[in-house]
Amino acid sequence: MTDSADQIEAGATASPFAGRRVLLGVSGGIAAYKAVILCRLMMDAGAHVMPVMTAAAQRFVGRATFDALASERVKTSIFGEDDPIPHTTLGQTADVVVVAPATARVIGSYAAGISEGLLTASLLATRAPVVVCPAMHTEMWEHDAVQHNIEVLRGRGVRLVVPEAGRLAGGDIGTGRLAEPATIFAAVSEVLAELPAPDPAHQPPPPRRDFAGVRVTVSAGGTREAIDPVRFIGNRSSGKQGYAIATAARDRGAEVTLVTSASLPPPEGVREVRVESAAEMDAAVSAHADAEVIVMAAAVADFRPADIAPQKIKKGSPAERAEAPVIVLEHTKDILAGLGAAKPPGQVLVGFAAETADVLDNAAQKLERKNLDVMVANDVSAAGAGFAHDTNIVTILLADGTVRPLPICSKREVADAVLDAVAELRQ
Ligand code: CTP
């Protein structure tokens, strides 16, 4: 780290950043690398940094850099994350929003009140003070439109850290260079120092990192067993519960492999292996069976057509329709039972029991039969539970006989409760 970082670190005890939540917005420009240094400075000064990158920013700096440095993983989109309204959550919980570098596009959208991505949506959704640090070519910076937008923002109380003169992308020299990280850091310090002291009661608990470095394999979705090239036997599983487990494990620091037959967008930062049939799921899960934790949340088909017709089965002419085809089924392999039989010492194996009757008894029997450590009993026929819902009603059973019923809650809350049980067993 630079001298300036060390000097600032030395004074961190009286830091206005201590306990403050900073939304660090990074938009696309060669200066995005300076945001990495700024992030580190603010983290070292005691801030909780929540990074948001635009798509263009990711062309300049990898998200993994901010994932590793910041307090939370990078958010990039309004959609596809586990929080359905990330822009309002970020905007409401931030003590200050810093945009560095801020491109002409982000400045223009913000000034015009147009939300065209997570960063600009968060800027519009926050009431926290905002510090904007422009960076662009001289011609753009001096353009009437950009200067007009800057004045609009200034007039609304946005704090500007104006660009400096120096070398720009492509070797040009002029005004437009992002201010140095230490300059931005000082400006944000001033803004924070003006705020009332943080109320400890309103501080969210620090994110748990109790799975840091732990390899977790999760299966999700319902498998599809081909009848012919166009038809399959499937089931009603949406994959949402498995995805929630993968996301929660990731957030708690795990290295997650998600073996999935669901058509949901993959959680960021999770290794995704796409499969279709039970046999493919078996192969993919087996390839990642050396994980410390395996959670089989997938609804794996128990039967599949014994023969897959190589061509589409035709219904034939009306005269030939009397006899519908008979599809002969055969058993698939029970993946979880296989994992239980070969379970290495120290591994925690979790199953889900989708039941419609005698839920706890059936689940307890499966827990024992498959040599599991945790069984999540799921009454898929209950209102607000099971397939495709966003909520679930489950009871967590442990191999030692512990029975832990959960109230109706989100699939993410179920995921965290399951991981809590796993974490207890791993202690
Ligand atoms: N499972 C599996 N391989 C299968 C079937 C199920 O790995 N071929 C796993 C599921 O992922 C789940 C657990 O076993 O974690 C229980 O699945 P469930 O469908 O509830 O039970 P089954 O063992 O299939 O028994 P049944 O269908 O008779 O209820």
Side-chain angles (χ1 to χ4, degrees), residues 217-255:
T217 297
V218 182
S219 71
T223 61
R224 294 175 168 198
E225 308 303 326
I227 297 170
D228 67 18
V230 293
R231 303 182 180 94
F232 61 84
I233 298 174
N235 61 65
R236 296 185 190 279
S237 169
S238 65
K240 285 182 179 177
Q241 185 61 73
Y243 276 61
I245 289 174
T247 307
R250 174 204 73 186
D251 291 348
R252 291 166 72 158
E255 291 170 23

PDB file of all heavy atoms in Angstrom, residues 217-255:
ATOM      1  N   THR A 217     -20.941 -28.019  -1.747  1.00  0.00           N
ATOM      2  CA  THR A 217     -21.593 -28.423  -2.996  1.00  0.00           C
ATOM      3  C   THR A 217     -23.100 -28.460  -2.752  1.00  0.00           C
ATOM      4  O   THR A 217     -23.552 -29.069  -1.784  1.00  0.00           O
ATOM      5  CB  THR A 217     -21.086 -29.812  -3.447  1.00  0.00           C
ATOM      6  OG1 THR A 217     -19.682 -29.710  -3.715  1.00  0.00           O
ATOM      7  CG2 THR A 217     -21.793 -30.281  -4.708  1.00  0.00           C
ATOM      8  N   VAL A 218     -23.835 -27.768  -3.605  1.00  0.00           N
ATOM      9  CA  VAL A 218     -25.296 -27.705  -3.459  1.00  0.00           C
ATOM     10  C   VAL A 218     -25.922 -28.194  -4.762  1.00  0.00           C
ATOM     11  O   VAL A 218     -25.474 -27.810  -5.846  1.00  0.00           O
ATOM     12  CB  VAL A 218     -25.753 -26.246  -3.196  1.00  0.00           C
ATOM     13  CG1 VAL A 218     -27.268 -26.185  -2.998  1.00  0.00           C
ATOM     14  CG2 VAL A 218     -25.033 -25.642  -2.001  1.00  0.00           C
ATOM     15  N   SER A 219     -26.950 -29.027  -4.658  1.00  0.00           N
ATOM     16  CA  SER A 219     -27.707 -29.384  -5.866  1.00  0.00           C
ATOM     17  C   SER A 219     -29.059 -28.695  -5.808  1.00  0.00           C
ATOM     18  O   SER A 219     -29.595 -28.459  -4.727  1.00  0.00           O
ATOM     19  CB  SER A 219     -27.879 -30.899  -5.988  1.00  0.00           C
ATOM     20  OG  SER A 219     -28.793 -31.367  -5.009  1.00  0.00           O
ATOM     21  N   ALA A 220     -29.580 -28.344  -6.985  1.00  0.00           N
ATOM     22  CA  ALA A 220     -30.844 -27.602  -7.025  1.00  0.00           C
ATOM     23  C   ALA A 220     -31.619 -27.935  -8.282  1.00  0.00           C
ATOM     24  O   ALA A 220     -31.039 -28.298  -9.306  1.00  0.00           O
ATOM     25  CB  ALA A 220     -30.562 -26.096  -6.975  1.00  0.00           C
ATOM     26  N   GLY A 221     -32.937 -27.789  -8.187  1.00  0.00           N
ATOM     27  CA  GLY A 221     -33.795 -27.962  -9.360  1.00  0.00           C
ATOM     28  C   GLY A 221     -34.325 -29.374  -9.489  1.00  0.00           C
ATOM     29  O   GLY A 221     -33.897 -30.285  -8.779  1.00  0.00           O
ATOM     30  N   GLY A 222     -35.250 -29.528 -10.402  1.00  0.00           N
ATOM     31  CA  GLY A 222     -35.804 -30.852 -10.680  1.00  0.00           C
ATOM     32  C   GLY A 222     -35.147 -31.416 -11.920  1.00  0.00           C
ATOM     33  O   GLY A 222     -34.900 -30.688 -12.882  1.00  0.00           O
ATOM     34  N   THR A 223     -34.817 -32.696 -11.895  1.00  0.00           N
ATOM     35  CA  THR A 223     -34.168 -33.272 -13.080  1.00  0.00           C
ATOM     36  C   THR A 223     -35.218 -33.559 -14.151  1.00  0.00           C
ATOM     37  O   THR A 223     -36.414 -33.647 -13.876  1.00  0.00           O
ATOM     38  CB  THR A 223     -33.405 -34.561 -12.730  1.00  0.00           C
ATOM     39  OG1 THR A 223     -34.331 -35.508 -12.219  1.00  0.00           O
ATOM     40  CG2 THR A 223     -32.314 -34.282 -11.725  1.00  0.00           C
ATOM     41  N   ARG A 224     -34.739 -33.700 -15.372  1.00  0.00           N
ATOM     42  CA  ARG A 224     -35.606 -34.009 -16.524  1.00  0.00           C
ATOM     43  C   ARG A 224     -35.115 -35.298 -17.157  1.00  0.00           C
ATOM     44  O   ARG A 224     -33.940 -35.391 -17.527  1.00  0.00           O
ATOM     45  CB  ARG A 224     -35.503 -32.891 -17.560  1.00  0.00           C
ATOM     46  CG  ARG A 224     -36.055 -31.587 -17.083  1.00  0.00           C
ATOM     47  CD  ARG A 224     -35.798 -30.535 -18.127  1.00  0.00           C
ATOM     48  NE  ARG A 224     -36.580 -29.337 -17.819  1.00  0.00           N
ATOM     49  CZ  ARG A 224     -36.839 -28.388 -18.700  1.00  0.00           C
ATOM     50  NH1 ARG A 224     -36.366 -28.475 -19.925  1.00  0.00           N
ATOM     51  NH2 ARG A 224     -37.553 -27.338 -18.361  1.00  0.00           N
ATOM     52  N   GLU A 225     -36.017 -36.232 -17.289  1.00  0.00           N
ATOM     53  CA  GLU A 225     -35.657 -37.547 -17.836  1.00  0.00           C
ATOM     54  C   GLU A 225     -36.296 -37.686 -19.210  1.00  0.00           C
ATOM     55  O   GLU A 225     -37.527 -37.699 -19.336  1.00  0.00           O
ATOM     56  CB  GLU A 225     -36.128 -38.651 -16.883  1.00  0.00           C
ATOM     57  CG  GLU A 225     -35.674 -38.453 -15.436  1.00  0.00           C
ATOM     58  CD  GLU A 225     -34.162 -38.333 -15.265  1.00  0.00           C
ATOM     59  OE1 GLU A 225     -33.422 -38.997 -16.020  1.00  0.00           O
ATOM     60  OE2 GLU A 225     -33.728 -37.561 -14.390  1.00  0.00           O
ATOM     61  N   ALA A 226     -35.464 -37.791 -20.215  1.00  0.00           N
ATOM     62  CA  ALA A 226     -35.953 -37.764 -21.599  1.00  0.00           C
ATOM     63  C   ALA A 226     -36.794 -38.990 -21.930  1.00  0.00           C
ATOM     64  O   ALA A 226     -36.463 -40.122 -21.529  1.00  0.00           O
ATOM     65  CB  ALA A 226     -34.770 -37.683 -22.558  1.00  0.00           C
ATOM     66  N   ILE A 227     -37.905 -38.728 -22.621  1.00  0.00           N
ATOM     67  CA  ILE A 227     -38.728 -39.808 -23.202  1.00  0.00           C
ATOM     68  C   ILE A 227     -38.306 -39.990 -24.666  1.00  0.00           C
ATOM     69  O   ILE A 227     -38.095 -41.094 -25.135  1.00  0.00           O
ATOM     70  CB  ILE A 227     -40.226 -39.440 -23.115  1.00  0.00           C
ATOM     71  CG1 ILE A 227     -40.651 -39.314 -21.651  1.00  0.00           C
ATOM     72  CG2 ILE A 227     -41.074 -40.463 -23.874  1.00  0.00           C
ATOM     73  CD1 ILE A 227     -42.044 -38.734 -21.458  1.00  0.00           C
ATOM     74  N   ASP A 228     -38.210 -38.851 -25.332  1.00  0.00           N
ATOM     75  CA  ASP A 228     -37.717 -38.822 -26.720  1.00  0.00           C
ATOM     76  C   ASP A 228     -37.046 -37.455 -26.883  1.00  0.00           C
ATOM     77  O   ASP A 228     -36.914 -36.718 -25.904  1.00  0.00           O
ATOM     78  CB  ASP A 228     -38.881 -39.101 -27.697  1.00  0.00           C
ATOM     79  CG  ASP A 228     -39.939 -37.998 -27.712  1.00  0.00           C
ATOM     80  OD1 ASP A 228     -39.645 -36.875 -27.261  1.00  0.00           O
ATOM     81  OD2 ASP A 228     -41.061 -38.259 -28.192  1.00  0.00           O
ATOM     82  N   PRO A 229     -36.608 -37.077 -28.097  1.00  0.00           N
ATOM     83  CA  PRO A 229     -35.862 -35.810 -28.194  1.00  0.00           C
ATOM     84  C   PRO A 229     -36.668 -34.570 -27.818  1.00  0.00           C
ATOM     85  O   PRO A 229     -36.077 -33.515 -27.566  1.00  0.00           O
ATOM     86  CB  PRO A 229     -35.455 -35.765 -29.676  1.00  0.00           C
ATOM     87  CG  PRO A 229     -35.449 -37.186 -30.112  1.00  0.00           C
ATOM     88  CD  PRO A 229     -36.533 -37.865 -29.341  1.00  0.00           C
ATOM     89  N   VAL A 230     -38.004 -34.651 -27.732  1.00  0.00           N
ATOM     90  CA  VAL A 230     -38.768 -33.441 -27.401  1.00  0.00           C
ATOM     91  C   VAL A 230     -39.508 -33.543 -26.059  1.00  0.00           C
ATOM     92  O   VAL A 230     -39.950 -32.534 -25.534  1.00  0.00           O
ATOM     93  CB  VAL A 230     -39.797 -33.073 -28.502  1.00  0.00           C
ATOM     94  CG1 VAL A 230     -39.115 -32.658 -29.767  1.00  0.00           C
ATOM     95  CG2 VAL A 230     -40.774 -34.203 -28.754  1.00  0.00           C
ATOM     96  N   ARG A 231     -39.661 -34.722 -25.504  1.00  0.00           N
ATOM     97  CA  ARG A 231     -40.468 -34.867 -24.286  1.00  0.00           C
ATOM     98  C   ARG A 231     -39.608 -35.355 -23.129  1.00  0.00           C
ATOM     99  O   ARG A 231     -38.593 -36.036 -23.339  1.00  0.00           O
ATOM    100  CB  ARG A 231     -41.598 -35.864 -24.516  1.00  0.00           C
ATOM    101  CG  ARG A 231     -42.509 -35.500 -25.680  1.00  0.00           C
ATOM    102  CD  ARG A 231     -43.619 -36.530 -25.793  1.00  0.00           C
ATOM    103  NE  ARG A 231     -44.530 -36.227 -26.889  1.00  0.00           N
ATOM    104  CZ  ARG A 231     -44.416 -36.724 -28.112  1.00  0.00           C
ATOM    105  NH1 ARG A 231     -43.420 -37.542 -28.423  1.00  0.00           N
ATOM    106  NH2 ARG A 231     -45.292 -36.418 -29.038  1.00  0.00           N
ATOM    107  N   PHE A 232     -40.046 -34.981 -21.932  1.00  0.00           N
ATOM    108  CA  PHE A 232     -39.324 -35.472 -20.756  1.00  0.00           C
ATOM    109  C   PHE A 232     -40.296 -35.657 -19.591  1.00  0.00           C
ATOM    110  O   PHE A 232     -41.407 -35.124 -19.614  1.00  0.00           O
ATOM    111  CB  PHE A 232     -38.200 -34.499 -20.339  1.00  0.00           C
ATOM    112  CG  PHE A 232     -38.685 -33.122 -19.961  1.00  0.00           C
ATOM    113  CD1 PHE A 232     -39.142 -32.843 -18.669  1.00  0.00           C
ATOM    114  CD2 PHE A 232     -38.672 -32.086 -20.883  1.00  0.00           C
ATOM    115  CE1 PHE A 232     -39.576 -31.569 -18.321  1.00  0.00           C
ATOM    116  CE2 PHE A 232     -39.114 -30.815 -20.548  1.00  0.00           C
ATOM    117  CZ  PHE A 232     -39.564 -30.551 -19.267  1.00  0.00           C
ATOM    118  N   ILE A 233     -39.848 -36.405 -18.594  1.00  0.00           N
ATOM    119  CA  ILE A 233     -40.584 -36.499 -17.328  1.00  0.00           C
ATOM    120  C   ILE A 233     -39.883 -35.553 -16.365  1.00  0.00           C
ATOM    121  O   ILE A 233     -38.659 -35.651 -16.171  1.00  0.00           O
ATOM    122  CB  ILE A 233     -40.570 -37.939 -16.772  1.00  0.00           C
ATOM    123  CG1 ILE A 233     -41.258 -38.889 -17.757  1.00  0.00           C
ATOM    124  CG2 ILE A 233     -41.248 -37.982 -15.397  1.00  0.00           C
ATOM    125  CD1 ILE A 233     -41.168 -40.352 -17.364  1.00  0.00           C
ATOM    126  N   GLY A 234     -40.639 -34.626 -15.793  1.00  0.00           N
ATOM    127  CA  GLY A 234     -40.035 -33.643 -14.877  1.00  0.00           C
ATOM    128  C   GLY A 234     -40.800 -33.580 -13.577  1.00  0.00           C
ATOM    129  O   GLY A 234     -41.634 -34.442 -13.291  1.00  0.00           O
ATOM    130  N   ASN A 235     -40.493 -32.577 -12.785  1.00  0.00           N
ATOM    131  CA  ASN A 235     -41.248 -32.371 -11.546  1.00  0.00           C
ATOM    132  C   ASN A 235     -41.360 -30.877 -11.275  1.00  0.00           C
ATOM    133  O   ASN A 235     -40.840 -30.054 -12.031  1.00  0.00           O
ATOM    134  CB  ASN A 235     -40.612 -33.132 -10.380  1.00  0.00           C
ATOM    135  CG  ASN A 235     -39.202 -32.674 -10.099  1.00  0.00           C
ATOM    136  OD1 ASN A 235     -38.979 -31.530  -9.712  1.00  0.00           O
ATOM    137  ND2 ASN A 235     -38.238 -33.552 -10.318  1.00  0.00           N
ATOM    138  N   ARG A 236     -42.054 -30.516 -10.206  1.00  0.00           N
ATOM    139  CA  ARG A 236     -42.427 -29.112  -9.989  1.00  0.00           C
ATOM    140  C   ARG A 236     -41.352 -28.289  -9.278  1.00  0.00           C
ATOM    141  O   ARG A 236     -41.587 -27.140  -8.935  1.00  0.00           O
ATOM    142  CB  ARG A 236     -43.706 -29.038  -9.167  1.00  0.00           C
ATOM    143  CG  ARG A 236     -44.905 -29.627  -9.865  1.00  0.00           C
ATOM    144  CD  ARG A 236     -46.158 -29.409  -9.033  1.00  0.00           C
ATOM    145  NE  ARG A 236     -47.272 -30.170  -9.563  1.00  0.00           N
ATOM    146  CZ  ARG A 236     -48.018 -29.786 -10.604  1.00  0.00           C
ATOM    147  NH1 ARG A 236     -47.752 -28.648 -11.206  1.00  0.00           N
ATOM    148  NH2 ARG A 236     -49.006 -30.535 -11.022  1.00  0.00           N
ATOM    149  N   SER A 237     -40.200 -28.861  -9.020  1.00  0.00           N
ATOM    150  CA  SER A 237     -39.179 -28.093  -8.293  1.00  0.00           C
ATOM    151  C   SER A 237     -38.708 -26.882  -9.112  1.00  0.00           C
ATOM    152  O   SER A 237     -38.408 -27.008 -10.298  1.00  0.00           O
ATOM    153  CB  SER A 237     -37.973 -28.988  -8.004  1.00  0.00           C
ATOM    154  OG  SER A 237     -36.908 -28.209  -7.536  1.00  0.00           O
ATOM    155  N   SER A 238     -38.654 -25.710  -8.457  1.00  0.00           N
ATOM    156  CA  SER A 238     -38.201 -24.496  -9.146  1.00  0.00           C
ATOM    157  C   SER A 238     -36.705 -24.280  -8.980  1.00  0.00           C
ATOM    158  O   SER A 238     -36.089 -23.529  -9.722  1.00  0.00           O
ATOM    159  CB  SER A 238     -38.925 -23.275  -8.568  1.00  0.00           C
ATOM    160  OG  SER A 238     -38.550 -23.106  -7.208  1.00  0.00           O
ATOM    161  N   GLY A 239     -36.132 -24.892  -7.960  1.00  0.00           N
ATOM    162  CA  GLY A 239     -34.711 -24.668  -7.658  1.00  0.00           C
ATOM    163  C   GLY A 239     -34.459 -23.530  -6.687  1.00  0.00           C
ATOM    164  O   GLY A 239     -33.324 -23.324  -6.250  1.00  0.00           O
ATOM    165  N   LYS A 240     -35.520 -22.782  -6.314  1.00  0.00           N
ATOM    166  CA  LYS A 240     -35.304 -21.578  -5.501  1.00  0.00           C
ATOM    167  C   LYS A 240     -34.643 -21.874  -4.146  1.00  0.00           C
ATOM    168  O   LYS A 240     -33.792 -21.120  -3.695  1.00  0.00           O
ATOM    169  CB  LYS A 240     -36.641 -20.881  -5.234  1.00  0.00           C
ATOM    170  CG  LYS A 240     -37.186 -20.128  -6.430  1.00  0.00           C
ATOM    171  CD  LYS A 240     -38.488 -19.439  -6.060  1.00  0.00           C
ATOM    172  CE  LYS A 240     -39.034 -18.647  -7.242  1.00  0.00           C
ATOM    173  NZ  LYS A 240     -40.329 -18.040  -6.920  1.00  0.00           N
ATOM    174  N   GLN A 241     -35.058 -22.987  -3.499  1.00  0.00           N
ATOM    175  CA  GLN A 241     -34.477 -23.277  -2.182  1.00  0.00           C
ATOM    176  C   GLN A 241     -32.990 -23.609  -2.303  1.00  0.00           C
ATOM    177  O   GLN A 241     -32.176 -23.146  -1.505  1.00  0.00           O
ATOM    178  CB  GLN A 241     -35.238 -24.407  -1.501  1.00  0.00           C
ATOM    179  CG  GLN A 241     -34.776 -24.681  -0.072  1.00  0.00           C
ATOM    180  CD  GLN A 241     -34.953 -23.488   0.850  1.00  0.00           C
ATOM    181  OE1 GLN A 241     -36.053 -23.129   1.243  1.00  0.00           O
ATOM    182  NE2 GLN A 241     -33.845 -22.817   1.198  1.00  0.00           N
ATOM    183  N   GLY A 242     -32.631 -24.389  -3.325  1.00  0.00           N
ATOM    184  CA  GLY A 242     -31.213 -24.725  -3.522  1.00  0.00           C
ATOM    185  C   GLY A 242     -30.384 -23.484  -3.827  1.00  0.00           C
ATOM    186  O   GLY A 242     -29.268 -23.311  -3.327  1.00  0.00           O
ATOM    187  N   TYR A 243     -30.943 -22.581  -4.661  1.00  0.00           N
ATOM    188  CA  TYR A 243     -30.220 -21.346  -4.990  1.00  0.00           C
ATOM    189  C   TYR A 243     -30.048 -20.485  -3.741  1.00  0.00           C
ATOM    190  O   TYR A 243     -29.013 -19.836  -3.555  1.00  0.00           O
ATOM    191  CB  TYR A 243     -30.960 -20.568  -6.090  1.00  0.00           C
ATOM    192  CG  TYR A 243     -30.622 -21.049  -7.478  1.00  0.00           C
ATOM    193  CD1 TYR A 243     -30.891 -22.364  -7.856  1.00  0.00           C
ATOM    194  CD2 TYR A 243     -30.010 -20.220  -8.406  1.00  0.00           C
ATOM    195  CE1 TYR A 243     -30.573 -22.831  -9.118  1.00  0.00           C
ATOM    196  CE2 TYR A 243     -29.677 -20.681  -9.681  1.00  0.00           C
ATOM    197  CZ  TYR A 243     -29.973 -21.979 -10.031  1.00  0.00           C
ATOM    198  OH  TYR A 243     -29.639 -22.441 -11.278  1.00  0.00           O
ATOM    199  N   ALA A 244     -31.084 -20.468  -2.884  1.00  0.00           N
ATOM    200  CA  ALA A 244     -30.978 -19.677  -1.652  1.00  0.00           C
ATOM    201  C   ALA A 244     -29.866 -20.238  -0.759  1.00  0.00           C
ATOM    202  O   ALA A 244     -29.120 -19.473  -0.133  1.00  0.00           O
ATOM    203  CB  ALA A 244     -32.315 -19.683  -0.910  1.00  0.00           C
ATOM    204  N   ILE A 245     -29.715 -21.551  -0.741  1.00  0.00           N
ATOM    205  CA  ILE A 245     -28.643 -22.148   0.070  1.00  0.00           C
ATOM    206  C   ILE A 245     -27.284 -21.800  -0.526  1.00  0.00           C
ATOM    207  O   ILE A 245     -26.361 -21.418   0.200  1.00  0.00           O
ATOM    208  CB  ILE A 245     -28.845 -23.673   0.185  1.00  0.00           C
ATOM    209  CG1 ILE A 245     -30.059 -23.921   1.081  1.00  0.00           C
ATOM    210  CG2 ILE A 245     -27.603 -24.364   0.735  1.00  0.00           C
ATOM    211  CD1 ILE A 245     -30.490 -25.327   1.210  1.00  0.00           C
ATOM    212  N   ALA A 246     -27.175 -21.914  -1.845  1.00  0.00           N
ATOM    213  CA  ALA A 246     -25.897 -21.572  -2.491  1.00  0.00           C
ATOM    214  C   ALA A 246     -25.540 -20.109  -2.217  1.00  0.00           C
ATOM    215  O   ALA A 246     -24.386 -19.782  -1.903  1.00  0.00           O
ATOM    216  CB  ALA A 246     -25.997 -21.828  -3.996  1.00  0.00           C
ATOM    217  N   THR A 247     -26.527 -19.223  -2.304  1.00  0.00           N
ATOM    218  CA  THR A 247     -26.273 -17.794  -2.105  1.00  0.00           C
ATOM    219  C   THR A 247     -25.885 -17.507  -0.653  1.00  0.00           C
ATOM    220  O   THR A 247     -24.949 -16.746  -0.385  1.00  0.00           O
ATOM    221  CB  THR A 247     -27.531 -16.990  -2.495  1.00  0.00           C
ATOM    222  OG1 THR A 247     -27.920 -17.374  -3.806  1.00  0.00           O
ATOM    223  CG2 THR A 247     -27.267 -15.498  -2.471  1.00  0.00           C
ATOM    224  N   ALA A 248     -26.608 -18.136   0.278  1.00  0.00           N
ATOM    225  CA  ALA A 248     -26.311 -17.900   1.702  1.00  0.00           C
ATOM    226  C   ALA A 248     -24.914 -18.416   2.047  1.00  0.00           C
ATOM    227  O   ALA A 248     -24.152 -17.752   2.762  1.00  0.00           O
ATOM    228  CB  ALA A 248     -27.368 -18.580   2.571  1.00  0.00           C
ATOM    229  N   ALA A 249     -24.570 -19.604   1.515  1.00  0.00           N
ATOM    230  CA  ALA A 249     -23.237 -20.173   1.795  1.00  0.00           C
ATOM    231  C   ALA A 249     -22.158 -19.257   1.225  1.00  0.00           C
ATOM    232  O   ALA A 249     -21.135 -18.993   1.866  1.00  0.00           O
ATOM    233  CB  ALA A 249     -23.137 -21.574   1.206  1.00  0.00           C
ATOM    234  N   ARG A 250     -22.396 -18.755   0.021  1.00  0.00           N
ATOM    235  CA  ARG A 250     -21.452 -17.798  -0.591  1.00  0.00           C
ATOM    236  C   ARG A 250     -21.287 -16.568   0.291  1.00  0.00           C
ATOM    237  O   ARG A 250     -20.172 -16.139   0.584  1.00  0.00           O
ATOM    238  CB  ARG A 250     -21.974 -17.393  -1.963  1.00  0.00           C
ATOM    239  CG  ARG A 250     -21.169 -16.298  -2.624  1.00  0.00           C
ATOM    240  CD  ARG A 250     -21.988 -15.544  -3.633  1.00  0.00           C
ATOM    241  NE  ARG A 250     -22.964 -14.676  -3.006  1.00  0.00           N
ATOM    242  CZ  ARG A 250     -23.889 -13.993  -3.662  1.00  0.00           C
ATOM    243  NH1 ARG A 250     -23.991 -14.103  -4.953  1.00  0.00           N
ATOM    244  NH2 ARG A 250     -24.731 -13.209  -3.022  1.00  0.00           N
ATOM    245  N   ASP A 251     -22.417 -16.006   0.742  1.00  0.00           N
ATOM    246  CA  ASP A 251     -22.344 -14.801   1.565  1.00  0.00           C
ATOM    247  C   ASP A 251     -21.593 -15.054   2.868  1.00  0.00           C
ATOM    248  O   ASP A 251     -21.010 -14.138   3.436  1.00  0.00           O
ATOM    249  CB  ASP A 251     -23.757 -14.293   1.899  1.00  0.00           C
ATOM    250  CG  ASP A 251     -24.454 -13.739   0.672  1.00  0.00           C
ATOM    251  OD1 ASP A 251     -23.775 -13.541  -0.351  1.00  0.00           O
ATOM    252  OD2 ASP A 251     -25.676 -13.513   0.744  1.00  0.00           O
ATOM    253  N   ARG A 252     -21.653 -16.302   3.345  1.00  0.00           N
ATOM    254  CA  ARG A 252     -20.981 -16.629   4.611  1.00  0.00           C
ATOM    255  C   ARG A 252     -19.552 -17.087   4.367  1.00  0.00           C
ATOM    256  O   ARG A 252     -18.903 -17.601   5.261  1.00  0.00           O
ATOM    257  CB  ARG A 252     -21.819 -17.658   5.370  1.00  0.00           C
ATOM    258  CG  ARG A 252     -23.120 -17.013   5.861  1.00  0.00           C
ATOM    259  CD  ARG A 252     -24.168 -17.999   6.322  1.00  0.00           C
ATOM    260  NE  ARG A 252     -23.854 -18.633   7.582  1.00  0.00           N
ATOM    261  CZ  ARG A 252     -24.763 -19.186   8.388  1.00  0.00           C
ATOM    262  NH1 ARG A 252     -26.046 -19.149   8.066  1.00  0.00           N
ATOM    263  NH2 ARG A 252     -24.404 -19.753   9.528  1.00  0.00           N
ATOM    264  N   GLY A 253     -19.068 -16.924   3.138  1.00  0.00           N
ATOM    265  CA  GLY A 253     -17.639 -17.114   2.860  1.00  0.00           C
ATOM    266  C   GLY A 253     -17.281 -18.410   2.178  1.00  0.00           C
ATOM    267  O   GLY A 253     -16.106 -18.660   1.917  1.00  0.00           O
ATOM    268  N   ALA A 254     -18.281 -19.268   1.890  1.00  0.00           N
ATOM    269  CA  ALA A 254     -17.965 -20.588   1.324  1.00  0.00           C
ATOM    270  C   ALA A 254     -17.563 -20.493  -0.144  1.00  0.00           C
ATOM    271  O   ALA A 254     -17.920 -19.543  -0.836  1.00  0.00           O
ATOM    272  CB  ALA A 254     -19.175 -21.513   1.465  1.00  0.00           C
ATOM    273  N   GLU A 255     -16.821 -21.519  -0.596  1.00  0.00           N
ATOM    274  CA  GLU A 255     -16.552 -21.701  -2.030  1.00  0.00           C
ATOM    275  C   GLU A 255     -17.619 -22.662  -2.525  1.00  0.00           C
ATOM    276  O   GLU A 255     -17.583 -23.843  -2.197  1.00  0.00           O
ATOM    277  CB  GLU A 255     -15.176 -22.334  -2.237  1.00  0.00           C
ATOM    278  CG  GLU A 255     -14.031 -21.430  -1.876  1.00  0.00           C
ATOM    279  CD  GLU A 255     -12.707 -22.187  -1.877  1.00  0.00           C
ATOM    280  OE1 GLU A 255     -12.601 -23.239  -2.554  1.00  0.00           O
ATOM    281  OE2 GLU A 255     -11.811 -21.743  -1.166  1.00  0.00           O
TER     282      GLU A 255
END
